[in-house]
Amino acid sequence: MAKKGYVEINSDRCKGCGLCINACPQHVLRFSDKFNDKGYHYAELYDPDDKCPGCAFCYYMCPDVCITVHRVAEERV
Amino acid sequence: MAKKGYVEINSDRCKGCGLCINACPQHVLRFSDKFNDKGYHYAELYDPDDKCPGCAFCYYMCPDVCITVHRVAEERV
Amino acid sequence: MATVDKIVAQMPKSLSKVEFSYCPGCHHGIVHRIIAEVIDELGIAEKTLMVAPVGCSVFAYNFFDLDGTVAAHGRAPAVATGMKRALPDRIVFTYQGDGDLASIGTAEIVHAANRGENITTIFINNAVYGMTGGQMAPTTLIGQKTTTSPYGREPKANGYPIRMSEMLSTLEGAVYIERTMVTTPQNVIKTKAAIKKAFQAQIKGLGFSMIEVLSTCPTNWGMTPIEAMKWLEENMTKTFPLGVFVDKTKGMI
Amino acid sequence: MATVDKIVAQMPKSLSKVEFSYCPGCHHGIVHRIIAEVIDELGIAEKTLMVAPVGCSVFAYNFFDLDGTVAAHGRAPAVATGMKRALPDRIVFTYQGDGDLASIGTAEIVHAANRGENITTIFINNAVYGMTGGQMAPTTLIGQKTTTSPYGREPKANGYPIRMSEMLSTLEGAVYIERTMVTTPQNVIKTKAAIKKAFQAQIKGLGFSMIEVLSTCPTNWGMTPIEAMKWLEENMTKTFPLGVFVDKTKGMI
Amino acid sequence: MIKSIIIAGFGGQGVMLMGKIIAESAMLDGLNVTWLPSYGPEMRGGTANCTVIVGDEPIGSPVVDVPDVVIAMNIPSMIKFEEMLKKDGIMILNSSVIDREPSRKDIKVYKIDANKIADAIGNSKVLNMVTLGAFARVTGLVKLEMIGKALEETFAGKNKKLIDLNLEAVRQGMNSVS
Amino acid sequence: MIKSIIIAGFGGQGVMLMGKIIAESAMLDGLNVTWLPSYGPEMRGGTANCTVIVGDEPIGSPVVDVPDVVIAMNIPSMIKFEEMLKKDGIMILNSSVIDREPSRKDIKVYKIDANKIADAIGNSKVLNMVTLGAFARVTGLVKLEMIGKALEETFAGKNKKLIDLNLEAVRQGMNSVS
Amino acid sequence: MKMLMKGTEAIAEAAIRAGCRLYFGYPITPQSELTEYMAKRMPEVKGVFLQSESEVATVNMLYGAACTGKRVMTSTSSPGFSLMQEGISYMAGAELPAVFINVMRGGPGLGDIQPSQSDYFQSTKGGGHGDYRMIVLAPHTLQEAANIMGEAFDLAFKYRMLVTILVDGMIGQMMEPVELPEWKNIEELKEPDWALTGAKGRKPRKVTSFDLDPYELEKMNLRYQATYKRVAENEVRYEEFKIEDADIIVVAYGTMARIVKTVADSARKEGIRVGLFRPITLWPFPYERLSKISQNVKHILTVEMSYGQMIEDVKLAVNGKTNVDFYGRSAGVVPTPMEVLEAIKKIAR
Amino acid sequence: MKMLMKGTEAIAEAAIRAGCRLYFGYPITPQSELTEYMAKRMPEVKGVFLQSESEVATVNMLYGAACTGKRVMTSTSSPGFSLMQEGISYMAGAELPAVFINVMRGGPGLGDIQPSQSDYFQSTKGGGHGDYRMIVLAPHTLQEAANIMGEAFDLAFKYRMLVTILVDGMIGQMMEPVELPEWKNIEELKEPDWALTGAKGRKPRKVTSFDLDPYELEKMNLRYQATYKRVAENEVRYEEFKIEDADIIVVAYGTMARIVKTVADSARKEGIRVGLFRPITLWPFPYERLSKISQNVKHILTVEMSYGQMIEDVKLAVNGKTNVDFYGRSAGVVPTPMEVLEAIKKIAR
Ligand SMILES: Cc1ncc(C[n+]2csc(CCOP(=O)(O)OP(=O)(O)O)c2C)c(N)n1
Ligand SMILES: Cc1ncc(C[n+]2csc(CCOP(=O)(O)OP(=O)(O)O)c2C)c(N)n1
Ligand code: SF4
Ligand code: SF4
Ligand code: SF4
Ligand code: SF4
Ligand code: SF4
Ligand code: SF4
Ligand SMILES: [Mg+2]
Ligand SMILES: [Mg+2]
C-alpha cells in the first residue's frame, strides 16, 4: 500500500508522556528504546505497513507540540 | 375614649427624619417646633384624641431607636 | 380593675446606649435594632462576637453591647472566620455595606460562603459608598448618578449592578440567603424574621447565612428620608428583587 | 501524477520555539497550542497582548510569540483590564490556573466579568495548585488528597469545590462561558471551537468571555498522564459538568 | 496682615461653602488665602468646621491655634471654639440655634438670627450666606462685590436665580448687623 | 573534617532523597550535617540538586563553592557541576544515562550503571539507592548500618518490603564499584 | 489665572495637563475628591477613568495600563497604599513608569482620616518586598503640587520608575489659589520602545519582574540599582529657607515644612535663628547637601507628623556631626506652630 | 533526640509545641512545606489548620483568631508578606499578638524563589502604613529557629505585639539535626483580659485600631510607642562571634551570618582577625551594643543578601565613629564564603 501520511516527532522536545501513543487510532506510535537528552524515552513512528493516514490525532494530543503531520497524495501536477 | 397606648420619644436622640411620622397609621406624631441640641426638629406625640393604640409602627421604623411604646389596658389585678 | 401600663417596644438590650452616627433616616439604624432584638430573643448576647466593617457602620461595634471588633475594609468575613475557627461554639456575625462586601471584599465573602463558614452576614445594600461621600458602588443602578459616576452609571464603562445574593446562592456552602428591605413596618418584621432565621442556622451549625437588606442613603442620594424610601421601593427592587435565594434550613431549625 | 507531501498540522506560528516547562503529559501544553492556533486562524497575533498568571504557566508569556506580561498571582484580569482600557482595539487575554483565578484572584475575575470587560480568559482547572507542589485548590474535589488536605478534602473544614463558570454566569457582563476538557482529539477540537468563539466575542466587542478547561496535573495527582486523563473524565466531570453556561453571542459573531 | 477665621457648625448648615466663598472673595481681592476643612464622617451628625486664612503676606501654616474670628452656627461649635479665640477676637453666633451666651467676656460677640432671616427670604438653606453677610460687615475682610464674583464662580453653570438668591441673603445678613 | 557533596540529576531521579539519606545516616553516626536543596519549578523538567555537608566540626555555611564529591545523574548535571569540583575530588556518574566523559582530568571518576542495576532489581525507581551505595563505598563517609536506620526512619510506617528493596539496591550499588 | 482649588483637584487637573489619560482608583478619605474629579474630568478629555473593585485591583490595572507605555496614575490614602505594596513591588521589578498619590492619614490600621506623615518609611524604604525604590516627591503647597505633576511623569518615564507624590490629608483637603501648569501635547509623547502594543511589524516584547534563574534576576536587579544610582546623582531636590545664618536647622517636609516656615519667622522675632531644610525628594534623600550644611550648625531638629521616620535619613546624612533632635506628633494630630516653637526653644536653651 | 528536619517543619513543630493551635496560610514557595506540615499536624493535635483564599484573607483570619486571645500564626514568603501589609498595620494598631514567618525569596515583584534578605526594611521599618513596629527575630540555624518559636509567642503576648520570624529560603529549605523544644501546656495559658470571647458575666470588650478623634488616636499611638520603648530596652538580642580581638567586624544576620562564621575562620587562617556581630532581634536593633563595640574596631562590614538594607541600622548605630562598608548580593544569589572573604580582604588591605 502507498503511504498516505506520516508524522515527524521532535524527539528533543518530547517528554515521553505517551498521550500521542494513546491517541493514535492506528497504533503506529511507540516509545523509543533510546533516551533523549532530557532522559525521556521519546515517542517515535513505527509504521512498516503505512497505516498512518495523517489523521493528526497525535498532534491534537501532544502537550509539547512535538509533532508535525504530513499527508501524502498522488496529485496531478 | 380611654388611652390605649402612647409613645415616649427620646428627643435628644431624635434626628427628625420623620420616618415614624410617615409610618404612624393614626397620624398622631409630628415634628416639634423646637430644636434639640443637635439642631433637629424632633418628633413628638400629639394625640389629643387618644388614637394611639401602641401599634409600634413608629418604633419599627425609627432608625435611631428613640421610641418606647406603651400599651395601657384595664386589667384585673 | 386597674390601669396597667406595659412597655411593648423599646431599645433592645444588645444595643449599647451610644447614639448612632448615621444621618437622619438612614436605614442602618433600623437594621441595627432588628439585629439586637434577634440577639436578645435568642438569648445569645453573651456568646456573640460582632465584626463591623469599614463604611458608615464602622462604629457599629460600639453601638452593640457585645464583644466586637472592626475589620479592615472588606475583610469582615475573613476576620469572622478566624474568630469562629478559634471559638466554634460562639456566634459570630459580620455587618457589611455594599462597597465592603460586593467590591473590595468579594473574594472574602465568596470563600466564606463557599467554605460554608458557620457565620452570619448582614449585608446593607444602599447602592452607594455612604461613608466616603457617595461614590459608585458595584450595586449602583444603571443610570444612577454618584460622585464617581457623575454622568450616570453606564454599563460599558462601569459594568452592571452586581447581585450578590444571586451569585452567592450558586455556592454549596451557603445555607440561607434572603434579600429584604425595611421601608415599612411590615417589611421590617419580615427582615427580622429573616435575620432570626439566619442566626438560627448558625446556632444549628448549618453553615453560611446572609441577609441582604436594601437600604437608603438619603444623604448621598440627595433625597429626604421619605423620598429615599420611595426611590428604593420603585427602583432598587427592580434590579434587586426581594426573596429567598437559598434555603437549606428546612426541617433543620 | 506526482506525490505531494503536505503538512496538515504543525507548531502554530503564535507559539515561540521555547520549550514548555510543563511536566510530561500536562494539559497546559495542549491548551497553549490551541490558543496559538486560534490566534493564527483569526490573524490577530500582531494585535494581541497576553497576560500570564503565577502558576505552572507563569512562563506562558515566553511560550507565545506575542507581546505579553505576567501578572501578580490572581490579578491577571486587573492587568488585562488596564491594558484593554488603554488600548481598546487590541485583543487581550489572560491565562489562569484555578488557584490563581478561583482563589486569590476571585475578586478580580468576578469584577472583570461583571464589568463586562472586553477580554478573554482561559481558565485551567486542574483541581490543584500545580506550581507550588500540589496543595488544595478551591476546585479540589471532595475527598481528594492533596498536600494541604492530606486526609482528603472535607467540606466542613475546607468547603466545597467552587464552580467558577456557574458562579460567573450569574453576572450580566459575562457573554460567553463554557467548560470543556482536552482528553481526546474530539474534545480538543471542541475546546478549540470554544476558545475561538471566546476570542470572536472579544473581537466583536461583546464583553467578557471565559473558557474553563478541565486539565490534568499528573505530577501532583501522582498518576501517569494516561491515568490522569481517565481520573479527570471519571471524577472531575461529575463535579464540573461540561457545557455552555452563558452564550449571549448568538447572532453577533 | 494675616487674619484667621474658623467657621463651625452642624453638617447641613453650609459652613464649608461659607468658608470657601470667604476665601474666594479674598483671593479675587488680591489677597493670599488658604481654606482647610474638617472632613469625613465628622460631617455627619457632629460638627464640621473649616479654617480660612486671608492675608497680604504668604501664608505658612494653614492650621490655626488662635483664630481672629470664630463663626459658630450651633452650640457645640460655640463651646468648642470659644476658648481658642484670640483676646478681643470676634465671635459671630447663629442665634436661631444658639440660645446661650459664650462664657468669655474678653471677646466681641455678634448674634445673627440666621435661620429666621433665611426662612424669610424663602430658602432655609441660605442661612450660611446670611451669616457670611454679617461676617463681611463686622470684619470688613471681604467686599460685597467680590462675594458676588465668588458666588458666580461657584455656581457657574447653575441657575442665575440661585446666585441672586444667595447674594440677597448676603445683603440681608450685612444689614442685620448694621 | 568537613566534606561536601553535591547530588544532581533530573527531577524524577530521586536525588533529593539520596541526599537526605546520606545526611541522616551521617547524623545517626554522630556527625554534624546540613542538607540544602534546589527547589521549586526547577525540579520539573530541568535539573534538581542538593548539597549535603557532613563533618565532625560545626557547619557554618550550608552553601558550597568547591564540593568534595559530585554525584551526577544526567548529562546537564555533570556539565554544570564538573567545574566546581575540588581538585582530586570524586565524581560519581550514572552511566546509564550519561554517555560521555567528564572533561577534567584532575578528578576521580566512578561510573555506575544505575538504571540497569535498578531495573534488574525490579524497580527502576531505586536507581538513587544504587548510586548511594556506590557513593558509600567510594567515599566511606556513610556506613551501611546507618543507611539502614536512615531508611527505616524515612519509610517509617511504610511497607517493610520497601525498606528491604531500597537496602538491597544500596548493597548492589556498593558491590558495583567494589 | 489663579483659581481657588482643593489640593486633590489641583493635583488631578495638573496630572491631566501633564498628559495623563488613564486613571484607576478606589475611593478613600481624604483623597476621594481626586477620584471624583477624575470621574468627571476624564470623559471630558477623552481619557479613561475606572473605579476599581479594590486597591489591589487598582495597582494591577495600573500595571496593565502602564505596560502599554501610556501615562497612568492612581491616588489613595494610607491603608489603600498598604494594599498596593505587592503590586508596587511588581511594577518596580517590571520597570514600569506610573505615578501614585498617597494622601497620608493617621494610622496604623484603620486609624483616622486626619493628616499624617507616618508612611514615610513605607514609601522611601519600600513597603513591598525586594530591593526596589521609587521616587518620592513631597510638595508643600498646592502650587508646588500642581507644578510637580508634570515632572513626576517625566521622571517616571525617563527612568522607568514609579513616582509617588507623598502628601498628607491637609495638602489633599485644603484650598489655595493655584495657577495651573500648561497643557502637554499628548500627541507629541512618543511610544516607549518597551511598550506592549501588539507585536505589529516587530518582535514581541515582554514585560516582567520574573526570572527563576537567580543570576539572571540579579542582572535585572543590578540594572535597577544602576538606575537608582543615576537618580540619586541627578534628581535630588530640596529647598533651603533662611538657613544661611541659622543656629538651628529644622528639617521637615510637606505640610510640616509649611508650618515650620511660619515658626521660623516667629522664632526669629524672638531672637532664635531658625532655618528650614525641606527635602522635596524624600527618595532620593538629599543626604549630601544636608550633610554639608549640618557641619556649621549647632542643632538639627527634625519635625514630622509621625513618631520619627524621616529622622533616620536625617541622622544618616548628619552621621554624628551634630545633634539631631526630634519633635513629632502623629495619629492625625497636626503640630501647631506654637508647639513647634516650644520644641525649638527647648533646644535653643 | 535530634531529628533531621527541614527548617519549615522545625519551625512548624516548634510552634505547635509552643502552644499554637491555629494556623492560617496560603501556599507559596519556599515555605509551602510549613503550610503542608500544619495541614497534616494540626488535626493530630486538635488544632485548626485553614488554607485561606489569599494572603489578604490570611492576615485578616489571623486578626480574627488573635482577637480571641489564642496563640495564632501564619507563614508566607515575600510577595505574600507584601499582601499582608494592610492587615499587619491593622493588627499592630489593635495590639493583637501573633507570629508571622516570612521566608524571604528574591525580589522585587515575582522575582524568583531563591533565598534572599531583601525584606529587611519591610519588616523592621514597617511595610504598612502608620507608626508601628513589630518584633523581628532572625535565627541562623534550624535549632535556633526551633528554640525561638516559644519566645516569639511569649513576646507577642507579653507586649501585645506582632512578632515576625524573618528567615530566608535557605533556612526554610535546608535540613539540619534539630532537638525540638519541650511542649508547652496549653491548658495553663490563661485567657488575656482583652480577648473577645463573648461578654459572659462581664462588660463587652472591643478590639480596634480605630478612633476618628485624632487626640484619642494619638493616645493609642502613645501607648504603642511606650510599648515599643519597653521592648527596645528589654528585648534586644544578638550574638557576638570572635569579636574580642577583631580588626574587622562583620555584621550579618540569618543565613548570611552562618556563612560569615565559616568565613571568619578562613580569614583568621589567613591572618585577618574577623569577628561577627549577629543581630538576632532585627527590631529592636542592637544599636547600643553595636555602637559600643564599633568604637574599638577599624572596619565594620555589613554583609547582606540584599543591596543594603540593614546597613542603614548599622550606620545609625555606628553614627560616624568608624567606617561602614558593604557587601551584598541579592535576587536569590547567595554569596559564597569565598566571595565574602574577598570582600573582607579588600577592606583589610
Ligand atoms: C483599604 C481601604 N480602602 C478604602 C477605604 C475607604 N472606604 C471607607 S468606607 C468605604 C466604602 C463604604 O461603602 P459601603 O461598604 O457601601 O458602606 P456604606 O458606607 O454605604 O454603609 C470606603 C471605600 C478604606 N477605609 N480602606
Ligand atoms: C501572592 C502570592 N501568593 C502565593 C504565591 C505562590 N503560588 C505560586 S503559583 C500558586 C498556585 C498555582 O496554582 P494554579 O493557579 O492552580 O496553577 P497551576 O500551577 O495549577 O497551573 C501559588 C499559590 C505567589 N506566587 N504569590
Ligand atoms: S497521524 Fe494519526 S495515525 Fe498517524 S501517527 Fe498520528 S495519530 Fe497515529
Ligand atoms: S505526546 Fe508529544 S511529548 Fe508526549 S510522547 Fe508524544 S510526542 Fe512526546
Ligand atoms: S404606636 Fe402606632 S399609633 Fe402610636 S404613635 Fe406609634 S405608630 Fe402612631
Ligand atoms: S423616626 Fe426616630 S429619629 Fe426619626 S423623627 Fe421619628 S423619633 Fe426621630
Ligand atoms: S451617608 Fe448614607 S449610609 Fe451613611 S449614614 Fe448617611 S445616610 Fe446612612
Ligand atoms: S505540576 Fe501539574 S500543572 Fe504543573 S506542569 Fe506539572 S503536571 Fe502540569
Ligand atoms: Mg453602601
Ligand atoms: Mg491549578
Side-chain angles (χ1 to χ4, degrees), chain E residues 20 34-35 39 60-61 65, chain G residues 113 170 174-175 258 262 336:
Chain E
K20 200 197 151 200
T34 63
W35 174 95
Y39 52 84
S61 169
D65 301 310
Chain G
I113 54 176
M170 189 169 308
M174 72 185 283
M175 287 208 255
R258 235 185 128 108
T262 302
T336 62

Side-chain angles (χ1 to χ4, degrees), chain H residues 29-95:
Chain H
T29 311
Q31 69 78 46
S32 296
E33 293 90 346
L34 207 164
T35 312
E36 292 168 4
Y37 189 90
M38 288 298 197
K40 199 147 182 263
R41 200 74 176 90
M42 277 299 186
E44 293 173 354
V45 296
K46 297 200 176 61
V48 172
F49 165 83
L50 183 61
Q51 180 174 321
S52 65
E53 59 270 31
S54 72
E55 290 87 352
V56 172
T58 303
V59 69
N60 287 290
M61 289 173 179
L62 216 62
Y63 179 111
C67 279
T68 69
K70 304 251 165 111
R71 298 196 156 203
V72 303
M73 76 175 276
T74 187
S75 57
T76 187
S77 177
S78 310
F81 204 62
S82 290
L83 279 175
M84 293 184 181
Q85 292 308 320
E86 189 207 21
I88 285 173
S89 176
Y90 267 74
M91 291 186 81
E95 293 169 289

Side-chain angles (χ1 to χ4, degrees), chain B residues 59-60, chain C residues 8-10 12 30-42 122 176 178 180-182 184-200 211 213:
Chain B
Y59 168 88
Y60 287 132
Chain C
V8 296
Q10 65 181 334
I30 302 181
V31 181
H32 279 21
R33 195 196 63 238
I34 296 174
I35 295 170
E37 286 171 9
V38 167
I39 288 173
D40 286 356
E41 287 169 22
L42 295 171
I122 311 299
Y176 190 70
E178 181 170 352
T180 70
M181 59 182 181
V182 290
T184 64
Q186 289 70 28
N187 54 42
V188 165
I189 290 166
K190 272 196 203 153
T191 299
K192 183 168 166 185
I195 289 179
K196 192 162 189 173
K197 200 160 169 184
F199 273 93
Q200 282 169 325
I211 307 303
V213 186

Side-chain angles (χ1 to χ4, degrees), chain D residues 28 97-99 124-130 137 139:
Chain D
H28 272 300
D98 45 348
I124 303 297
N125 179 357
N126 59 11
V128 89
Y129 285 19
T139 52

